[in-house]
Amino acid sequence: MVKKKKKEKKFTKKLLHKYRLVILNEDTFEERFAIKLTRLNVFVLTSFSAIFLIFFTILLIAFTPLREYIPGYSSAKLKKEASMLNYKTDSLVQELELNKRYYASIRKVLTGDVSTVDFNRDSVIEAAKNDPEILQITTNRQDSLLRDKVEKEDKYNLFDDTSNQNNFVLFPPVNGTISEGYNIEDKHYAVDVVVANNTPVKATADGTVIFAEWTVETGYVVIIEHNQELISVYKHNGAITKSQGDLVKAGEVIAMSGNTGELSTGPHLHFELWSKGYPVNPTNFIDFQ
């Protein structure tokens, strides 16, 4: 016990033992700086210096741009680029999803793979009435007479009320005899109109050509997208005069009739109308005679 106390006193004495740190001029031995130190002072000073250095380093890393140069920390520029890429990726995913649905709808049009639906004709009429893109035109007597004449000849008007100023009209692509009509049970979502070879096939309304290619089963096919989510399809053509992406006007020639494709049994036009991804009977809106 006594020895232990002696050792503790000896250790304490060593800690408190004073030393003198002197800095001399090497040439003249002149004393320039002197300081009295103990081992305890040196230990305390070194500890505080280490703590201060660690604390300062943490502040420097956490609150200054210098942290960007330390491995493991991302820079502000990198974060900004990552955010922009994330937004772009999200936008691309949405665009791909929309394109996927759009192509699925076009695939249904080409293959006729669609479930049986009861199409409400009034929905097309109501949508056309509310279309802000349809121009409001003030009619005069000559215009009214012309409209009556056109209505009597081809029944182009889609609306029951012929006096309505918001007219969304469909023109017959060809005139001829219908050899096979619209039949949902047989999945014949079209009308087959018998015409001679090389008869001009016209666009039923203003729109954009979204498909104009050759297919094995239906020959030369033209698909036009119109307003009100309406799509018209023209199959078994002998030749096409338009390309994908072309803008067409109602009554403009888009193809020449023919007898192409494995499913064709003679010169005719296979004409379909699709509204919002579902087939509709073209004879409800167009007189082919």
Side-chain angles (χ1 to χ4, degrees), residues 48-244:
F48 274 108
S49 299
I51 294 173
F52 175 78
L53 184 61
I54 294 171
F55 181 73
F56 179 76
T57 304
I58 293 173
L59 292 178
L60 194 66
I61 294 173
F63 300 102
T64 66
L66 291 177
R67 66 178 179 273
E68 298 178 3
Y69 298 98
I70 299 177
Y73 284 88
S74 60
S75 64
K77 181 180 179 181
L78 185 61
K79 287 183 178 179
K80 184 178 180 180
E81 291 178 353
S83 299
M84 291 298 297
L85 288 175
N86 187 32
Y87 294 146
K88 290 180 179 180
T89 302
D90 185 63
S91 299
L92 287 174
V93 169
Q94 294 181 7
E95 286 294 329
L96 287 174
E97 184 64 27
L98 291 175
N99 288 337
K100 187 185 297 182
R101 295 179 183 177
Y102 181 76
Y103 291 140
S105 178
I106 299 300
R107 191 179 297 110
K108 285 183 178 180
V109 174
L110 289 173
T111 61
D113 182 15
V114 64
S115 58
T116 302
V117 295
D118 294 328
F119 178 73
N120 185 4
R121 181 170 180 263
D122 294 334
S123 64
V124 175
I125 298 175
E126 187 63 27
K129 290 180 179 179
N130 298 327
D131 185 8
E133 296 182 358
I134 297 179
L135 299 177
Q136 301 290 335
I137 302 175
T138 303
T139 60
N140 52 32
R141 178 175 176 79
Q142 290 79 7
D143 182 67
S144 298
L145 291 175
L146 178 61
R147 288 175 183 272
D148 291 338
K149 182 179 179 181
V150 172
E151 181 186 3
K152 289 177 182 178
E153 288 182 353
D154 296 300
K155 298 181 182 178
Y156 294 157
N157 197 351
L158 186 63
F159 302 105
D160 295 330
D161 184 7
T162 58
S163 63
N164 194 314
Q165 294 181 357
N166 293 332
N167 287 324
F168 185 75
V169 296
L170 298 178
F171 292 88
V174 293
N175 292 107
T177 303
I178 297 178
S179 61
E180 185 175 359
Y182 180 87
N183 192 327
I184 293 180
E185 294 180 356
D186 295 338
K187 292 187 177 182
H188 188 257
Y189 306 112
V191 291
D192 292 339
V193 185
V194 178
V195 291
N197 274 325
N198 296 322
T199 299
V201 178
K202 303 175 183 179
T204 189
D206 297 351
T208 304
V209 177
I210 59 176
F211 185 86
E213 296 291 344
W214 164 270
T215 63
V216 176
E217 294 183 347
T218 55
Y220 286 107
V221 179
V222 179
I223 302 177
I224 302 177
E225 184 179 28
H226 311 283
N227 290 335
Q228 311 302 332
E229 301 183 47
L230 188 68
I231 292 176
S232 59
V233 184
Y234 314 77
K235 297 181 178 179
H236 302 303
N237 298 293
I240 54 179
T241 60
K242 297 295 180 181
S243 302
Q244 182 176 346

